[in-house]
Amino acid sequence: MQIVGYDTGVGDERDAALELSTAEGLDRLSLAPGTDLAYTLDDRHCAGTISDGTHEACSNPTAPYCDDHTSRWACARCVGNCDLPLPSCREEHAVYLAAFAPSTFKVGVTRSWRLDTRLREQGADRAAHLRTVADGRIARQVEADIAREVGDRVRVPTKIEGLHRDVDESAWRDLLADHDPNETYDFDYGFTLADRPVAETLLTGTVRGTQGRILVLDNGGTTFAVDMRDLVGYDISSGGTDRELQTSLGAF
């Protein structure tokens, strides 16, 4: 079986899960808190594509996706100089700020009806809805202007570094003072950490929880943080990993 995707569970009534391609078809591996996982990561290759509930396998060695199966989002680097190429571009959009503990911030845009979902998908600790605009082009123009000050990207390793921290209240308050938000958000993902988790790629341990696309596992007295995208493409087999893992100081 191969991991061919992941579901953060945000916006659904389902738990977060990994999407699997098996001999019987597509399946879901639940990542509900308390779930015990015991899988070994074997070879990794392109995860192929899923269409109409069917997985199309790909043997190309590039992972998680080869060039033929890489989806390129037209709006990824848009700064509002487009002609609204997608139907979704013409929908009402929200411009927001997101905070990741302790003091990493970003500006972003999304269709206004997806605002809460989009923020949780990213694993934001705090957020602020700045304004609502008529369409995606205007939103991108506003975003590009704010991004010169705040930035518009946060890498997963940066998010992992702050999982055990709280947001710097003073820094967040100072940022919001410059933008007069319409509404603010404070998110809870159902778990707390006393120490910084160890970044690792594994699928053995007890699920502590998920925050965005970060899976938090307890294994052998150490808490690990796994970027679920780093699991996509792996063939897996039953039985926990026996390779040596880095151990946190909290395990002693």
Side-chain angles (χ1 to χ4, degrees):
M1 66 193 151
Q2 183 188 24
I3 300 172
V4 295
Y6 61 88
D7 179 0
T8 62
V10 176
D12 300 325
E13 294 183 356
R14 303 185 297 184
D15 295 316
L18 295 174
E19 298 171 348
L20 304 180
S21 177
T22 73
E24 291 74 33
L26 290 174
D27 199 1
R28 287 170 56 88
L29 176 61
S30 173
L31 302 177
T35 300
D36 289 324
L37 303 173
Y39 296 92
T40 298
L41 303 179
D42 299 319
D43 294 334
R44 193 182 190 204
H45 55 95
C46 176
T49 186
I50 298 173
S51 178
D52 296 326
T54 301
H55 176 241
E56 177 187 326
C58 177
S59 60
N60 287 334
T62 305
Y65 302 101
C66 68
D67 286 344
D68 291 340
H69 294 111
T70 296
S71 175
R72 293 175 174 83
W73 183 35
C75 300
R77 302 311 303 159
C78 176
V79 293
N81 55 357
C82 64
D83 59 355
L84 302 172
L86 303 176
S88 59
C89 298
R90 294 173 171 79
E91 295 184 43
E92 181 183 86
H93 276 61
V95 182
Y96 63 82
L97 291 172
F100 303 86
S103 56
T104 300
F105 311 119
K106 70 173 288 274
V107 63
V109 304
T110 187
R111 286 172 288 174
S112 57
W113 62 270
R114 289 198 82 250
L115 179 57
D116 183 84
T117 297
R118 180 60 184 143
L119 292 167
R120 290 180 181 274
E121 286 174 344
Q122 296 179 77
D125 293 301
R126 301 280 187 89
H129 175 199
L130 300 186
R131 54 188 292 195
T132 301
V133 297
D135 57 49
R137 179 167 57 197
I138 298 171
R140 289 295 185 184
Q141 292 168 350
V142 174
E143 178 190 40
D145 183 55
I146 297 174
R148 288 195 288 267
E149 169 199 354
V150 179
D152 59 4
R153 293 192 170 194
V154 181
R155 298 174 63 247
V156 170
T158 300
K159 297 177 184 180
I160 290 175
E161 289 174 3
L163 277 182
H164 64 302
R165 305 280 298 278
D166 294 323
V167 172
D168 184 322
E169 293 283 357
S170 178
W172 180 234
R173 186 169 54 249
D174 289 346
L175 178 60
L176 295 188
D178 295 332
H179 294 281
D180 190 23
N182 293 327
E183 186 176 7
T184 58
Y185 303 81
D186 188 349
F187 297 109
D188 180 2
Y189 296 92
F191 65 91
T192 58
L193 300 174
D195 301 297
R196 175 179 168 181
V198 176
E200 183 58 272
T201 303
L202 79 162
L203 198 54
T204 299
T206 301
V207 177
R208 177 80 70 90
T210 57
Q211 184 164 336
R213 76 186 210 201
I214 301 170
L215 166 64
V216 181
L217 294 173
D218 290 328
N219 181 316
T222 294
T223 300
F224 294 92
V226 184
D227 182 348
M228 287 192 278
R229 192 173 192 275
D230 289 343
L231 295 172
V232 175
Y234 272 107
D235 294 321
I236 61 173
S237 53
S238 297
T241 183
D242 58 1
R243 65 185 173 87
E244 186 174 344
L245 299 171
Q246 181 179 344
T247 304
S248 69
L249 292 176
F252 295 99

